[in-house]
Amino acid sequence: MTPQEKIISEANKYVMPAVEDYLGARCLLLNNIFVGLTLAHEAVEKLMKAILILENIKPQKSHSLEKLS
């Protein structure tokens, strides 16, 4: 496995669960169940981590957007 394939594989660990969270959030929100916003938040966070991995930026253990920039 090449280094690029390893990076993509690592990013996919976040992308696939993010897609599941997004689909669940969409279903809940379309039925006016607003707890779906929590799942939407999780989906966005996982996608952001995947982007950081693909850009070769090590995700930090912080939830502060200021520290990530």
Side-chain angles (χ1 to χ4, degrees):
M1 184 179 278
T2 67
Q4 186 66 22
E5 289 173 332
K6 287 181 183 180
I7 292 171
I8 292 171
S9 175
E10 185 67 27
N12 276 336
K13 290 179 185 177
Y14 290 103
V15 172
M16 298 313 294
V19 170
E20 293 173 4
D21 288 348
Y22 164 75
L23 293 173
R26 182 173 169 81
C27 181
L28 289 168
L29 292 170
L30 287 173
N31 289 292
N32 295 322
I33 302 172
F34 296 106
V35 74
L37 292 172
T38 304
L39 276 179
H41 168 267
E42 291 291 322
V44 170
E45 188 172 346
K46 289 173 185 171
L47 287 173
M48 289 175 67
K49 286 181 182 180
I51 290 169
L52 290 173
I53 290 170
L54 290 173
E55 292 295 323
N56 206 15
I57 301 170
K58 185 174 172 104
Q60 299 179 7
K61 299 293 180 186
S62 173
H63 289 275
S64 170
L65 292 178
E66 292 175 2
K67 289 182 180 179
L68 291 174
S69 60

